Amino acid sequence: MKIAVVGSGYVGLTTGACLAETGNDVICADIVEEKVEALDRGEIPFFEPGLDALVEQNLAAGRLAFTTDVARAVRESYIVFIAVGTPPGDDGSADLQHVVAAARDIGRAMDGERIVITKSTVPVGTAPLVREAIEAETDHPVHVCANPEFLREGAAVSDFKKPDRVVLGVDDPKAGDVLQDLYAPFVRTGNEILVMDVASAEITKYAANAMLATRVSFMNAIARLCQRTGADVDSVRLGVGSDRRIGPTYLFPGVGYGGSCFPKDVKALARTMRDLGLDSSILDAVEGLNETQKRLLLDWVVERFGDELSGRTFALWGLAFKPNTDDMRDAPSLVTIGGLLRRGARVVAHDPVAMPATRRILGDSIEYRDHNYDVLDGADALLIHTEWHPYRHPDFARMRSLLREPVIMDGRNLYAPRVVGALGFEYHSVGRRLAPQAASCAS
């Protein structure tokens, strides 16, 4: 099939490369010339495991191309995906200006019938706006569909190739048949293609992300209850997750969610509900709990070391909001760092891939080290924000020899409290008791 993807960011680039991999001819269009030039060289503007190789292979095979000429991409394709950004506005609503602008560009370029699909995350009711923008520019027939993405950062290629489900919101059976054929290679193991009306597809995306965010915030609230009462959140998590109606996923407590999806999607869905006169209090609570949870490590630091931190140094392991990505959007580490700097502390950080992205945000207000042990030298405590694999089985003896005080504040529950406590560390984790050894060490 001949396919155009308007927008070459995280979603657009993954979509284009994966569809090219199954034999389609794909043109990815983007208005940023420097980005297109870099992509033509096989250079990916963000970190996503496996995507660079996929782009390089399909560029070499001639199935994938990049251009700044949106009109050319539309003219040479029958299926056109809109995969531009929908950043949150000041009121939390999704900003659709780029979606509508892309729709106008598509309409102006159309020289015949097209299937136009919104891949961007958009609120319910966006499809009529897209149709209106296209039809204002052309008399050619157009099918406007919705195909929300469910890609996890750090596993996007795998998620696209082996989806749990494919959701297609279609405006007539003809478009549905074409899109089912397009996605058939990805569901050969039996996972479903769910065909529905466009509005239902638009809501499905927001509802799925809001549900996952709710599970995260709920478990973080339970972790605080465990901390207060002396219970163990790991036991509670297993007890709850063993219920087949609930399941074990997204029940791990931590320092809150971040990234490009959950924060903005929860806000946007809540805003849509309020605009329609509906009660959004459950989503408002999810967001509020998450903002509180993102301050957890900073609260621990202040409780342990006091509000005045001048002369103290804190080591950070992990900056990105999750492993296998360099995404710093709404990362909990930024909340911790901001609070530490305001209190006069020195911050030294390591992350396997996110240090360049962090430097673009924070500049040289913190220090960066290429090796994770190097941040520990003379630090008053180690703060863990991201569960990168290299942090999971460290050399604890080396850590203790480098730290000024053997204090670990673990926002991702990487270690067993009794084991770490027995090694002489004061170990703080989310919703779990301090081991007796750690408590005596801290006294």
Side-chain angles (χ1 to χ4, degrees):
M1 296 186 187
K2 304 291 187 179
I3 299 167
V5 181
V6 181
S8 296
Y10 178 82
V11 173
L13 188 56
T14 304
T15 299
C18 289
L19 291 177
E21 181 74 2
T22 53
N24 301 290
D25 292 321
V26 181
I27 303 177
C28 291
D30 200 288
I31 62 173
V32 181
E33 186 172 351
E34 294 81 3
K35 181 192 291 186
V36 171
E37 290 174 351
L39 289 169
D40 271 331
R41 298 190 297 269
E43 299 173 6
I44 308 302
F46 50 85
F47 181 80
E48 181 60 39
L51 185 57
D52 52 352
L54 199 63
V55 169
E56 184 177 349
Q57 292 164 10
N58 285 282
L59 274 172
R63 293 187 297 265
L64 181 63
F66 299 97
T67 183
T68 56
D69 189 346
V70 175
R72 172 204 154 200
V74 173
R75 284 194 301 268
E76 295 183 9
S77 306
Y78 178 58
I79 298 173
V80 183
F81 286 91
I82 297 176
V84 297
T86 54
D90 294 337
D91 61 357
S93 62
D95 184 348
L96 298 178
Q97 62 173 318
H98 302 300
V99 172
V100 174
R104 291 197 190 101
D105 289 341
I106 292 166
R108 282 192 289 269
M110 283 172 53
D111 55 4
E113 181 184 55
R114 295 292 188 277
I115 296 176
V116 177
I117 307 127
T118 53
K119 195 72 173 172
S120 305
T121 300
V122 296
V124 62
T126 298
L129 299 178
V130 171
R131 178 179 295 280
E132 180 182 354
I134 293 172
E135 292 181 342
E137 304 292 342
T138 184
D139 292 328
H140 293 295
V142 62
H143 303 285
V144 178
C145 305
N147 172 217
E149 55 86 12
F150 300 98
L151 307 178
R152 295 169 298 162
E153 291 188 60
V157 172
S158 174
D159 286 348
F160 197 102
K161 289 184 172 182
K162 298 177 181 179
D164 292 333
R165 77 292 200 196
V166 175
V167 173
L168 301 174
V170 302
D171 63 353
D172 72 13
K174 176 183 177 182
D177 290 343
V178 172
L179 295 182
Q180 287 188 78
D181 186 41
L182 178 66
Y183 276 103
F186 303 104
V187 294
R188 296 181 65 189
T189 57
N191 291 343
E192 289 187 281
I193 296 179
L194 304 175
V195 182
M196 59 188 70
D197 63 274
V198 176
S200 295
E202 290 173 336
I203 291 177
T204 296
K205 166 63 176 179
Y206 278 107
N209 277 356
M211 175 64 78
L212 295 173
T214 299
R215 289 171 70 98
V216 172
S217 282
F218 176 81
M219 207 62 208
N220 283 334
I222 295 300
R224 286 180 176 266
L225 175 63
C226 291
Q227 198 92 51
R228 183 66 58 87
T229 60
D232 177 60
V233 75
D234 286 342
S235 298
V236 174
R237 175 178 57 80
L238 291 172
V240 172
S242 297
D243 188 323
R244 284 174 293 180
R245 297 168 300 175
I246 298 171
T249 59
Y250 281 83
L251 293 181
F252 290 87
V255 288
Y257 58 76
S260 64
C261 292
F262 287 6
K264 75 178 182 65
D265 290 356
V266 170
K267 290 184 177 73
L269 183 57
R271 176 69 190 199
T272 296
M273 295 181 74
R274 289 194 295 272
D275 288 346
L276 294 172
L278 300 173
D279 185 353
S280 67
S281 58
I282 188 170
L283 299 175
D284 299 333
V286 168
E287 181 188 359
L289 284 166
N290 191 61
E291 291 304 306
T292 297
Q293 197 69 11
K294 286 161 71 172
R295 296 192 296 270
L296 182 63
L297 291 190
L298 180 61
D299 291 342
W300 286 350
V301 169
V302 171
E303 183 178 351
R304 172 65 171 76
F305 295 100
D307 197 56
E308 173 54 52
L309 300 175
S310 297
R312 293 196 180 274
T313 298
F314 295 93
L316 267 64
W317 277 4
L319 293 164
F321 86 97
K322 63 178 289 188
N324 294 320
T325 181
D326 61 354
D327 196 342
M328 291 297 298
R329 285 173 287 188
D330 283 297
S333 64
L334 295 176
V335 175
T336 303
I337 292 169
L340 294 175
L341 293 178
R342 286 193 298 273
R343 290 167 173 80
R346 172 177 172 244
V347 177
V348 188
H350 173 270
D351 187 287
V353 302
M355 290 192 292
T358 307
R359 192 184 292 273
R360 288 194 292 271
I361 299 169
L362 298 177
D364 295 326
S365 62
I366 68 172
E367 299 172 35
Y368 308 89
R369 297 290 184 269
D370 291 333
H371 300 286
N372 58 306
Y373 290 105
D374 290 347
V375 306
L376 303 178
D377 192 13
D380 291 278
L382 167 64
L383 315 181
I384 302 175
H385 285 88
T386 316
E387 61 273 33
W388 286 99
H389 283 298
Y391 303 156
R392 290 182 177 273
H393 295 286
D395 182 338
F396 287 108
R398 184 179 179 185
M399 291 168 65
R400 187 167 184 191
S401 71
L402 290 169
L403 287 164
R404 182 183 301 168
E405 297 189 54
V407 180
I408 301 175
M409 297 184 173
D410 182 0
R412 295 299 179 183
N413 286 6
L414 296 187
Y415 313 128
R418 289 189 177 275
V419 171
V420 182
L423 295 172
F425 286 90
E426 177 186 336
Y427 180 62
H428 303 257
S429 57
V430 187
R432 302 187 297 181
R433 295 186 298 271
L434 278 172
Q437 297 94 326
S440 62
C441 173
S443 61

